[in-house]
Structure formats: C-alpha cells, structure tokens
Amino acid sequence: MATFFGEVLSVYSRAVDEDEDELDENEEDEQIRRELEEKRTVHLHWSPEITEMLRAGNKLQCSSFILAVGHNAASFLSAYVLASANWDAVGRVVAWNERSRSATGQSGEESTCVFYRHKDDLSVLICHVTCYIAEDQLFQWTEKVFDCLQPRELTVTVLSDCSVADYKTADYLSSSSAPFLRSLHSSAFSDQPVCQSLEQPNIITGLPAAVLNHCQVHRIAAVVYHCYNDVSGPDSVTVETYRPVLSKLGRSIQADCSPSTDVLRRFVRSSEIQSNLYI
C-alpha cells in the first residue's frame, strides 16, 4: 500500500489472522472431541475361552440373559442366585464417564459391570450393572453386548429400580405402598409377567429402556421388572420385592428362596426408620 508521499507499507489484515486463529481453535476442539469420544468408548473384556470363540466368528449360545441394573437388583441376584458356587465370572464391561470413572485398561481393577455364566448350564448368563451408563453410551453398551449373544431362542429378563418419586399416578400413593414392582415387555415375550404392567404415562429410562428397545426391534423376548422404592441405596425390603421373579428365571437356576441373614448382610443393609432430626 502506498502513502501520499510514495512510501510503500506492508499490508496487514486482521481478518486473515482471525480466520487462522479460528481454524486452529476448531482443529484443537475437534481433537479434544475425538479424544473424549475415544475415552468414552464402551469396552468389553471376556474370558480367554469366550474371546477365542468370538474371534472364530461364533456367538454365545444363550437361552436366558438376566440383567440386574442398580444396587438393589444386583444385591437380589447376589443373595438369591449367585451366592451358590455354580457361577463363574466370565467378562466385564468398562464404561468411562463423568459419574463412572473406571479405567479402560486391562489391569485387575474391580469392575461394576460383570458377567457370570452358569457352570452346569452354559446358556444362562447374568450381568450386574451397578455403575452409571451415560446416555451417549447406552447404544454402544447394548449393541456390543448383544452382538456377542445368539439371538435365536433368547429370553432377556431385566431387573431395575428407581425412586418412587418418579412414579406417576392419579391415585394417592401412601408410603406403605413402596416398594412395588411393575413390568414392561417386548411384543415377542409370550409368558405371563409376575406383576402388573407399568401404567401410562410412566416410562422406563436408561439401560433397561435401551435393552428393551433393542429386543423389541430385533424381536427378542424380553421383560423388564422395575421396582419403585422409597429408600436410597441397597435395602433388604426392596431386595425382597424381586422374589416373585425367581419362579421365572429358569429351571437350571437353583435359587435360594430363603438366604441366610449372613448372606443378606453381605449385600444389603437392614431397613431402618430414617430421620432427619438431630439427636
């Protein structure tokens, strides 16, 4: 650019510099987004035997898949079913997110999403999920787990729980009504549920909803037993609410209908009257 006196000045454009800075920032944001997505990827780790079978192109021949989502549901299966010595831990799922920060490595850290297989009947699989699965990880979890299972003649049973405050009803709900069960099933499920169906406009969310939706789309028989309770954390009364489901878990599962007090204490605490008053 020339001045009135003929001096030549270099041209400086703020617009170009701003565009370059913006491009650098966009590339940096994109890299951070990719790294975060990779970190939030759901990882399945199976036992060497199952890993070898899946690599060979085969799938787990599973006739009954029982999924417990939440501490009360998991405690029920632990006390009534898994307390026997007829089960082997055969896999785990690691899902990192803001509320579930388990590592993605293959080290021996305890996982809060574990698979167990029946020793005598290899077609029975149980999964405990006591960690939080984020909304953007639900599809990943469901697709990756069910991709390992043979869908033919598969029956899925989901046990889950949530606060009774989430239950919507036009009638008065007394405190003595909780805990209670409600069910929701796929169209391929032909058996009779052990409790009444979930009334509208109530809905099921999270991992139970993702699993039920997958089963509905792929025509897999599935039922969700949803327990509404008024106590936070594992509770013996809430755990007992799932007992009617035992008759539907299959003949090969030798459930303990009356576990000892010591067994229950390992997984739940006794129900106590809670108070927010200072003593």
Side-chain angles (χ1 to χ4, degrees):
M1 182 178 66
T3 66
F4 178 78
F5 300 101
E7 181 183 4
V8 178
L9 302 177
S10 60
V11 177
Y12 172 79
S13 174
R14 266 180 54 189
V16 174
D17 265 7
E18 288 177 353
D19 288 345
E20 289 178 353
D21 290 342
E22 185 177 349
L23 183 60
D24 292 340
E25 289 178 2
N26 289 339
E27 289 178 352
E28 184 178 354
D29 291 343
E30 183 68 20
Q31 182 179 355
I32 294 173
R33 186 184 64 81
R34 286 195 302 266
E35 291 176 354
L36 186 59
E37 285 182 354
E38 183 178 350
K39 193 173 184 179
R40 296 174 71 92
T41 300
V42 175
H43 298 272
L44 269 71
H45 304 294
W46 293 104
S47 65
E49 177 187 355
I50 295 179
T51 300
E52 190 64 30
M53 182 188 65
L54 294 173
R55 284 177 179 172
N58 301 315
K59 294 190 176 185
L60 282 169
Q61 299 297 319
C62 186
S63 63
S64 180
F65 178 40
I66 305 166
L67 175 65
V69 183
H71 290 283
N72 283 299
S75 296
F76 167 75
L77 287 184
S78 295
Y80 284 83
V81 179
L82 294 174
S84 68
N86 295 328
W87 300 89
D88 285 326
V90 295
R92 63 190 178 95
V93 178
V94 179
W96 184 95
N97 55 60
E98 291 77 6
R99 289 172 55 183
S100 179
R101 299 179 180 274
S102 55
T104 58
Q106 302 243 10
S107 59
E109 78 276 355
E110 183 179 356
S111 177
T112 50
C113 183
V114 184
F115 291 92
Y116 301 90
R117 189 164 64 165
H118 201 282
K119 292 181 179 179
D120 301 325
D121 187 353
L122 300 181
S123 67
V124 179
L125 191 68
I126 284 179
C127 181
H128 273 192
V129 182
T130 55
C131 61
Y132 173 72
I133 307 297
E135 186 175 349
D136 62 315
Q137 296 173 320
L138 295 175
F139 180 80
Q140 278 189 70
W141 194 101
T142 306
E143 290 293 314
K144 289 187 175 182
V145 169
F146 278 89
D147 189 51
C148 300
L149 308 180
Q150 173 60 252
R152 188 179 305 139
E153 299 181 359
L154 172 63
T155 299
V156 179
T157 303
V158 182
L159 308 179
S160 60
D161 58 79
C162 72
S163 171
V164 72
D166 297 330
Y167 182 73
K168 300 177 178 63
T169 178
D171 302 324
Y172 171 72
L173 192 65
S174 65
S175 58
S176 61
S177 300
F180 57 90
L181 282 180
R182 289 294 184 267
S183 65
L184 202 60
H185 59 82
S186 65
S187 57
F189 185 79
S190 58
D191 200 0
Q192 183 67 31
V194 301
C195 62
Q196 70 183 75
S197 299
L198 183 65
E199 307 93 336
Q200 294 183 350
N202 292 288
I203 60 173
I204 291 177
T205 60
L207 188 57
V211 170
L212 186 61
N213 182 69
H214 177 92
C215 293
Q216 177 67 23
V217 170
H218 295 275
R219 300 180 181 179
I220 298 173
V223 59
V224 176
Y225 291 111
H226 204 52
C227 180
Y228 291 92
N229 65 81
D230 57 353
V231 178
S232 61
D235 167 69
S236 59
V237 176
T238 303
V239 169
E240 290 278 341
T241 308
Y242 293 103
R243 285 187 63 176
V245 182
L246 289 175
S247 61
K248 300 291 185 178
L249 294 184
R251 296 179 181 177
S252 62
I253 300 178
Q254 298 177 354
D256 185 357
C257 296
S258 300
S260 66
T261 304
D262 292 337
V263 171
L264 284 173
R265 281 176 180 170
R266 282 193 300 167
F267 305 108
V268 298
R269 68 171 185 269
S270 300
S271 296
E272 298 176 355
I273 298 175
Q274 297 183 2
S275 173
N276 60 355
L277 296 178
Y278 290 100
I279 296 177

